[in-house]
């Protein structure tokens, strides 16, 4: 399949039909049932609350038994579907570059004792400002971001983390494969600006930049406010003996006396945040040690230079007191215009949270009580394909607003509003699923019969510190040292 942006711009129905046909070709087993299940997700009235209720949607012509059988025994050609997603026209930033955001989202399964490969997932805001680990399946999702104020993203890849996986290593491998697919699909050419990868503070940004240094990408991510970086090593004076230094003076995020004069300083007026001031310091790097994720690095550890950006806004939309945001960019020698584009691109990273909310609250991604992780992966890819169809139907949808909602221009519709009109757009698009054949349901378990083969129980996996020989048994009473890397 080769989707041309010009063709989709001239005839959006052709682009939608072409993707639906390619998506159907990716379903190699129980294709008709899986395809109609996605149509039921897109055409259901209101949010998806239960998986079995999707069998009552008119677009789903099969029974509830076929629905569960499709998720349990169906098959999706994930490699082909990934290529199809990479060929769909993608949004661009203001300077024409691709901006990719990676983040983790969890499918919580605290009571699924018979489901294997569950991991303790960190949840925020549950209870009274408590961070409680809950068993579930964490997924690493990569989306392409738009420019400007929008709740739209373009999900391009989803990967479930298995027990023992390191998030930074898995994300780097996942991002590398995605960038290679985008280059093969013609989304990036030699003359185009480098792809910008945006991540949050949960990732080791310098390590991610080191793992992807051979690709045409730049990495931008947030750092904790207690980090300590190093400046470039000073020039060696003639006649001085001994080993030359590899690191310069310290740059302590929490100590303004170590900042010195910034290389770039900008002030921008924004509507949501008021006055936004950004200061950038060039050529700063972390001082790495042979521990944690760098234990397998042989020889001298690399010096990964980048630019530190400190963003301070006047106020937040929620009314809370704003705190400075520290960013690290893998590039150097940034201009004032470039620094402004970077921190604005980082703020657009939070649009991926709107996509996660739509997945869970509207499309019903975490509603099914699926037992096996393979079926969970299958259902996840169906949700990604459903959202891609909403994105392709975006220029075609009408605003079916509720009486209490304000009118919205057709080019400003949210994904939930586009979904309201998808039922009227579906008959005009291709529908390769065949009509179901008449059949009788199986006998099932005889009345009064007991289940003599109970499902096995599985323990919840915990993630240990990389490179540690054993887990820490009790909380240390020594004061926590500052982060020097």
């Amino acid at each position: 399949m080769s989707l041309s942006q010009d063709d989709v711009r001239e005839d959006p129905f052709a682009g939608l039909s072409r993707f639906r046909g390619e998506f159907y070709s990716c379903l190699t087993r129980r294709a008709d049932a899986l395809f109609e299940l996605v149509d039921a997700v897109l055409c259901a009235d209101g949010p998806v609350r239960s998986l079995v209720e999707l069998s009552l949607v008119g677009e789903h012509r099969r029974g509830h038994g076929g629905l569960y059988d499709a998720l349990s025994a169906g098959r999706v050609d994930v490699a082909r579907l990934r290529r199809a997603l990479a060929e769909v026209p993608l949004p661009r930033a203001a300077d024409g570059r691709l901006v990719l955001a990676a983040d983790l989202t969890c499918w919580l399964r605290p009571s699924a004792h018979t489901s294997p490969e569950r991991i303790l997932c960190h949840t925020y805001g549950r209870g009274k400002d408590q961070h409680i680990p809950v068993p579930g399946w964490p997924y690493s999702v990569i989306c392409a971001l738009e420019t400007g104020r929008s709740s739209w993203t373009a999900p391009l890849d989803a990967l479930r983390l298995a027990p023992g996986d390191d998030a930074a290593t898995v994300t780097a491998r996942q991002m590398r494969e995605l960038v290679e697919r985008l280059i093969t699909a013609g989304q990036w050419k030699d003359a185009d600006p480098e792809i910008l990868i945006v991540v949050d503070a949960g990732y080791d940004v310098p390590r991610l930049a080191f793992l992807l240094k051979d690709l045409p990408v730049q990495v931008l991510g947030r750092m904790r406010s207690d980090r300590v970086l190093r400046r470039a090593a000073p020039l060696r004076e003639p006649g001085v003996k001994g080993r030359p230094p590899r690191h310069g003076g310290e740059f302590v995020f929490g100590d303004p006396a170590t900042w010195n004069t910034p290389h770039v300083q900008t002030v921008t007026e924004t509507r949501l945040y008021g006055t936004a001031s950004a200061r950038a310091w060039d050529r700063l790097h972390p001082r790495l040690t042979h521990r944690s994720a760098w234990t397998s690095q042989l020889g001298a550890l690399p010096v990964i230079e980048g630019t530190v950006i400190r963003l301070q806004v006047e106020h937040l939309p929620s009314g809370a007191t704003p705190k400075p945001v520290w960013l690290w960019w893998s590039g150097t020698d940034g201009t004032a215009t470039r620094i402004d584009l970077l921190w604005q691109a980082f703020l657009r990273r939070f649009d991926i949270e709107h996509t996660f909310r739509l997945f869970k609250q509207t499309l019903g991604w975490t509603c099914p009580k699926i037992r096996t992780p393979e079926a969970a992966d299958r259902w996840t890819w169906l949700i990604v394909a459903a959202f891609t169809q909403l994105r392709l139907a975006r220029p075609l949808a009408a605003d079916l607003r509720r009486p209490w909602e304000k009118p919205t221009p057709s080019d400003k519709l949210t994904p939930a509003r586009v979904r309201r009109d998808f039922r009227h757009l579906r008959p005009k698009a291709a529908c390769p699923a065949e009509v179901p054949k008449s059949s009788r349901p199986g006998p099932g378990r005889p009345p009064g019969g007991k289940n003599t083969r109970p499902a096995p129980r599985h323990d919840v996996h915990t993630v240990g510190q990389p490179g540690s020989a054993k887990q820490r048994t009790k909380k240390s009473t020594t004061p926590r040292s500052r982060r020097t890397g």
Side-chain angles (χ1 to χ4, degrees):
M1 181 189 69
S2 178
L3 280 176
S4 172
Q5 295 187 15
D6 296 335
D7 295 341
V8 176
R9 192 180 297 112
E10 294 175 0
D11 188 1
F13 273 115
L16 177 60
S17 299
R18 195 176 297 112
F19 177 80
R20 286 169 62 86
E22 181 65 17
F23 169 61
Y24 181 79
S25 301
C26 298
L27 308 176
T28 57
R29 183 186 293 175
R30 306 292 196 276
D32 298 331
L34 291 175
F35 189 86
E36 291 190 355
L37 177 58
V38 174
D39 280 354
V41 171
L42 293 171
C43 299
D45 295 329
V48 177
R49 302 299 185 190
S50 173
L51 186 63
V52 69
E53 290 183 357
L54 292 176
S55 62
L56 304 179
V57 180
E59 286 72 14
H60 191 277
R61 298 173 292 182
R62 290 161 173 80
H64 62 277
L67 182 149
Y68 282 104
D69 180 67
L71 278 183
S72 301
R75 183 179 297 170
V76 180
D77 189 349
V78 176
R80 183 172 181 176
L81 182 55
R82 280 172 168 154
R83 292 192 298 268
L85 293 172
E87 294 175 353
V88 174
L90 300 179
R92 305 276 174 164
D95 56 351
R97 73 176 65 234
L98 283 172
V99 181
L100 304 178
D103 202 358
L104 289 178
T105 183
C106 299
W107 184 341
L108 301 181
R109 300 300 309 277
S111 303
H113 303 288
T114 59
S115 296
E117 300 185 11
R118 291 184 303 157
I119 303 176
L120 287 179
C121 306
H122 290 281
T123 58
Y124 303 96
R126 300 175 68 91
K128 187 177 180 181
D129 298 332
Q130 295 179 349
H131 298 179
I132 304 176
V134 179
W137 291 316
Y139 280 83
S140 174
V141 182
I142 302 178
C143 299
L145 303 181
E146 290 189 0
T147 184
R149 299 182 60 193
S150 173
S151 59
W152 286 92
T153 64
L156 298 176
D157 195 74
L159 182 64
R160 178 175 52 85
L161 270 66
D165 285 345
D166 177 60
T169 305
V170 171
T171 304
R173 183 175 66 251
Q174 181 186 14
M175 190 69 70
R176 174 180 296 276
E177 296 174 354
L178 174 59
V179 171
E180 292 175 352
R181 290 195 300 270
L182 294 176
I183 295 176
T184 303
Q187 300 283 4
W188 185 89
K189 300 180 178 60
D190 294 336
D192 295 341
E194 292 183 322
I195 300 173
L196 181 63
I197 298 174
V198 185
V199 295
D200 206 3
Y203 294 88
D204 189 349
V205 189
R207 175 168 174 79
L208 189 60
F210 175 76
L211 296 176
L212 301 176
K213 62 181 180 180
D214 58 327
L215 295 177
V217 300
Q218 295 179 354
V219 182
L220 173 68
R222 184 162 63 98
M223 281 189 166
R224 293 170 52 120
S225 59
D226 59 351
R227 294 293 296 267
V228 179
L229 300 186
R230 294 300 186 98
R231 304 182 188 275
L235 296 177
R236 185 179 180 85
E237 298 181 1
V240 178
K241 299 181 180 181
R243 186 177 63 179
R246 302 184 71 241
H247 312 284
E250 291 185 342
F251 184 94
V252 185
F253 286 5
D255 187 4
T258 63
W259 297 352
N260 296 336
T261 304
H263 294 83
V264 177
Q265 187 169 0
T266 64
V267 178
T268 308
E269 294 294 334
T270 63
R271 185 172 65 173
L272 286 179
Y273 306 101
T275 302
S277 59
R279 288 184 284 176
W281 293 266
D282 200 15
R283 301 191 180 280
L284 296 176
H285 64 272
R287 183 175 181 271
L288 306 178
T289 57
H290 283 92
R291 59 182 179 183
S292 185
W294 299 97
T295 53
S296 59
Q297 184 72 23
L298 301 177
L301 292 174
V303 175
I304 309 173
E305 290 188 334
T307 301
V308 171
I309 304 173
R310 184 182 187 272
L311 175 64
Q312 180 69 58
V313 298
E314 184 179 359
H315 56 78
L316 296 176
S318 60
T321 303
K323 296 181 180 179
V325 177
W326 291 93
L327 306 176
W328 188 88
W329 173 47
S330 60
T332 55
D333 301 326
T335 62
T337 303
R338 184 65 180 148
I339 297 301
D340 281 340
L341 290 177
L342 287 173
W343 67 259
Q344 292 173 13
F346 175 79
L347 295 182
R348 293 265 60 83
R349 191 211 69 85
F350 295 97
D351 294 341
I352 197 174
E353 303 294 341
H354 297 285
T355 301
F356 292 160
R357 187 181 298 111
L358 183 84
F359 278 9
K360 297 179 180 180
Q361 298 182 2
T362 303
L363 302 183
W365 174 47
T366 57
C367 289
K369 306 302 181 183
I370 295 177
R371 174 177 295 178
T372 63
E374 294 78 15
D377 296 342
R378 201 171 295 120
W379 173 246
T380 300
W381 281 110
L382 296 183
I383 295 298
V384 172
F387 187 86
T388 303
Q389 295 185 50
L390 289 179
R391 193 165 59 86
L392 293 175
R394 181 180 177 183
L396 303 169
D399 184 18
L400 303 182
R401 66 184 183 91
R402 301 291 188 257
W404 53 87
E405 294 175 344
K406 296 181 180 180
T408 303
S410 58
D411 58 337
K412 299 294 184 181
L413 294 178
T414 62
R417 289 204 181 188
V418 173
R419 179 173 174 264
R420 292 178 188 174
D421 194 39
F422 193 86
R423 171 170 286 175
H424 305 91
L425 302 176
R426 178 181 174 273
K428 302 177 184 179
C431 186
E434 298 180 358
V435 178
K437 300 177 181 179
S438 58
S439 62
R440 294 182 179 179
R445 187 185 302 169
K450 296 182 179 180
N451 184 12
T452 58
R453 294 184 298 176
R457 303 273 173 152
H458 301 274
D459 295 333
V460 180
H461 297 267
T462 58
V463 180
Q465 297 180 357
S468 59
K470 58 182 179 180
Q471 298 296 322
R472 190 174 295 178
T473 57
K474 62 180 181 179
K475 186 176 180 180
S476 175
T477 58
T478 58
R480 180 181 178 183
S481 59
R482 63 177 183 173
R483 299 172 64 91
T484 59

